[in-house]
Amino acid sequence: MGEAIVITSGKGGVGKTTTTANLGTSLALLEKKVCLIDTDIGLRNLDVVLGLENRIIYDIIDVVEERCKASQAMIKDKRFDCLYLLPAAQTNDKSALTPEGMIEIISELKSDFDYILIDCPAGIEQGFKNAVAGADKALVVTTPEKSSVRDADRIIGLLEQEDIEPPNLIINRIRNHMMKSGDMLDIDEIMQILSIDLIGIVADDDEVIKATNHGEPIAFQPNTKASIAYRNIARRILGESVPLQNLDQKVTFIDKLKKVFGKN
Amino acid sequence: MNYIAENEQPIRIRVELGNRYISTQQEEKLKEMFANQQNFIVDHIISNVILKQTALDWKDDTAIKLYNKIIRSGQVLNVIGDLLLIGDVNPGGKVVATGNIYILGHLRGVAHAGSDGNKSSVIAASYMSPTQLRISDIISRSPDENAGGMMECGFIDPSSDQIIMDRISHLARTRSDLSVFERRIING
């Protein structure tokens, strides 16, 4: 029996879709059978981030309205055999999907997959309600900005009213030097306000944008900070205890020397 | 009884009902009777008993309501009587009470005490950095550059009719009538 996890944030543009794609990839790398569901009807992106846009034939609305089976709408990832995507429709709007429809699809998929990751649209309206309906767990994504923390707080409040486990937090797009200088909210401040469990921190990395534009999730590359962060979160989802990443730049002996001589 | 002269001052009397209860209409009627016929004015009517409902409302009004949760953005907690919140009020969250508000936690949102007009209500928090404080119909906004303070308390300063802040420990001087028991006696 699989587990359905919704990835949500309230505010737009904090990295829900990127997180979904990368956690899906990371879980697939750990040889779990994963299905990603895009519930952002009308504004689908997850297929683009995964580079699967050209493979879409049916979408989730076709499944709900019984024009096809869920297995027909599902797209197999080009890199893994155990990663699938159920894409959103681009022509309908959010009202085409209902919470009941979602519950039905997810309960059907749970028997086939280890993890079902649901990419939630921004906002707190119908789209959010649909995305949360079938989920067992929730991950809340926020960035170290006041506006995004505020929206995350609102979303956590709404999630607490749902019948799911207490949500976990991912802090995305951390710029270490700004956090240190106090120009960005630091992790402790965010945790104090939101007071839920932290499941991972992800550094802001240009490579993420590059990878997204190539339709290749960053988690696929082994050596960037962001990909390690996503892989760590995936391992924590599996129940492993992995220490939080140290975001400090490594200071080499040469750097120290340069500092001593005032060159940098 | 007509020997009382017309221009004489009316005599104020107090009616004691003992263990009897009369309704407001009956009270009016009684007052009218006295006012029409004799040179008496009923000052007040005292009874040993009150309606169960009145007593319950009264209890509700003076009781401290305990909540143990975080009030997050977009959530509103409405309370009749005093509020004791164990937890934070986050920015965008709001707590409203007809009585006093005590917060064992971080107040970052809006707190409104004395929401039905009680100007003597206070708002106290372990850590005070609210977006707004409201007491009765008076609103105060935190200064734009405010780090907040530990163990602070806001109340209305009667001389300026504005909300001022002070340390909780100083509250005993300005609001010695805060404790529930004393207030009950005053109300009674």
Side-chain angles (χ1 to χ4, degrees):
Chain A
M1 197 63 179
E3 192 172 42
I5 304 173
V6 61
I7 289 136
T8 181
S9 71
K11 189 174 178 296
V14 298
K16 287 180 295 296
T17 303
T18 313
T19 305
T20 310
N22 283 299
L23 287 186
T25 307
S26 308
L27 285 167
L29 280 167
L30 295 165
E31 290 169 352
K32 295 291 166 192
K33 204 174 174 199
V34 185
C35 175
L36 309 179
I37 304 180
D38 190 352
T39 59
D40 202 348
I41 317 291
L43 289 166
R44 71 174 176 212
N45 291 140
L46 191 53
D47 50 320
V48 183
V49 174
L50 289 164
L52 300 173
E53 196 181 6
N54 54 5
R55 290 165 164 80
I56 297 175
I57 298 165
Y58 294 114
D59 56 49
I60 191 166
I61 299 299
D62 292 321
V63 180
V64 171
E65 295 178 355
E66 291 177 351
R67 281 191 288 272
C68 71
K69 285 182 197 141
S71 55
Q72 287 174 296
M74 217 100 71
I75 304 161
K76 196 170 83 172
D77 187 75
K78 52 188 175 188
R79 293 154 291 246
F80 301 99
D81 286 336
C82 53
L83 181 64
Y84 287 81
L85 168 72
L86 183 56
Q90 189 69 319
T91 46
N92 303 67
D93 63 31
K94 308 256 179 325
S95 59
L97 201 59
T98 59
E100 293 76 34
M102 277 302 288
I103 293 172
E104 205 173 302
I105 292 178
I106 290 169
S107 56
E108 190 187 326
L109 292 176
K110 266 186 188 170
S111 53
D112 292 337
F113 290 92
D114 297 320
Y115 287 96
I116 298 154
L117 302 185
I118 306 156
D119 183 20
C120 177
I124 53 171
E125 295 87 14
Q126 188 64 41
F128 168 76
K129 286 175 190 148
N130 290 339
V132 170
D136 305 311
K137 262 190 188 177
L139 297 179
V140 175
V141 184
T142 185
T143 59
E145 288 165 71
K146 269 193 167 175
S147 51
S148 135
V149 172
R150 198 80 93 243
D151 289 1
D153 190 40
R154 177 93 172 96
I155 283 291
I156 295 164
L158 293 174
L159 286 169
E160 280 171 352
Q161 292 164 18
E162 300 285 331
D163 183 27
I164 57 176
E165 288 177 36
N168 285 320
L169 185 71
I170 296 175
I171 304 176
N172 199 8
R173 298 236 182 99
I174 293 175
R175 297 194 192 176
N176 207 31
H177 61 282
M178 287 184 80
M179 246 183 202
K180 279 204 170 140
S181 64
D183 295 325
M184 227 176 203
L185 291 175
D186 68 30
I187 294 170
D188 278 347
E189 271 177 275
I190 298 171
M191 294 306 294
Q192 256 186 33
I193 294 179
L194 299 181
S195 47
I196 57 171
D197 291 338
L198 184 67
I199 197 171
I201 52 174
V202 184
D204 192 30
D205 194 340
D206 290 350
E207 292 298 320
V208 177
I209 301 170
K210 229 194 226 167
T212 303
N213 283 334
H214 284 121
E216 190 112 324
I218 187 88
F220 210 58
Q221 302 169 20
N223 289 324
T224 65
K225 269 190 175 167
S227 70
I228 294 167
Y230 284 122
R231 289 176 184 203
N232 284 349
I233 296 172
R235 285 165 63 193
R236 290 185 197 114
I237 290 174
L238 296 183
E240 268 181 67
S241 133
V242 188
L244 276 187
Q245 206 177 2
N246 185 4
L247 295 177
D248 287 328
Q249 295 285 336
K250 279 195 188 98
V251 184
T252 59
F253 179 66
I254 308 262
D255 287 332
K256 279 184 190 162
L257 268 185
K258 275 183 185 165
K259 223 174 190 177
V260 169
F261 292 109
K263 279 186 208 167
N264 208 349
Chain B
M1 289 205 206
N2 286 332
Y3 54 79
I4 299 170
E6 288 283 312
N7 58 357
E8 212 168 311
Q9 283 288 315
I11 301 161
R12 298 191 163 267
I13 56 162
R14 201 170 70 164
V15 181
E16 287 198 20
L17 296 172
N19 291 338
R20 294 179 198 85
Y21 175 78
I22 59 170
S23 68
T24 347
Q25 285 105 322
Q26 287 169 322
E27 230 172 76
E28 288 300 315
K29 217 170 167 184
L30 194 69
K31 281 182 183 172
E32 218 173 281
M33 263 167 61
F34 275 101
N36 289 345
Q37 303 199 355
Q38 283 97 14
N39 204 13
F40 291 135
I41 286 181
V42 176
D43 211 24
H44 41 259
I45 299 170
I46 298 168
S47 167
N48 289 341
V49 288
I50 56 170
L51 274 186
K52 202 173 175 185
Q53 192 54 50
T54 321
L56 287 175
D57 288 347
W58 187 19
K59 179 173 172 266
D60 218 26
D61 225 30
T62 49
I64 293 185
K65 308 289 160 54
L66 175 69
Y67 285 85
N68 186 1
K69 61 192 273 195
I70 299 172
I71 307 300
R72 298 186 183 275
S73 177
Q75 296 177 332
V76 182
L77 178 62
N78 266 305
V79 158
I80 293 173
D82 290 354
L83 166 67
L84 174 59
L85 177 72
I86 302 179
D88 298 346
V89 181
N90 279 355
K94 190 176 175 186
V95 286
V96 183
T98 60
N100 304 305
I101 295 175
Y102 313 109
I103 298 168
L104 276 178
H106 200 139
L107 172 60
R108 299 186 186 88
V110 178
H112 188 177
S115 59
D116 58 4
N118 181 5
K119 287 203 173 193
S120 63
S121 318
V122 301
I123 301 169
S126 327
Y127 199 90
M128 187 74 106
S129 54
T131 33
Q132 261 183 25
L133 286 186
R134 302 180 188 175
I135 296 176
S136 179
D137 54 354
I138 295 172
I139 299 178
S140 89
R141 164 181 74 77
S142 69
D144 287 327
E145 299 293 324
N146 184 16
M150 300 277 283
M151 303 300 275
E152 281 194 346
C153 180
F155 52 91
I156 296 180
D157 176 30
S159 56
S160 63
D161 218 26
Q162 274 182 338
I163 299 177
I164 54 168
M165 307 292 284
D166 205 343
R167 297 203 37 88
I168 287 182
S169 49
H170 293 173
L171 195 67
R173 270 181 249 156
T174 41
R175 286 278 192 281
S176 52
D177 57 342
L178 256 190
S179 63
V180 178
F181 179 67
E182 284 173 61
R183 201 144 48 86
R184 261 186 207 161
I185 293 199
I186 291 162
N187 281 350

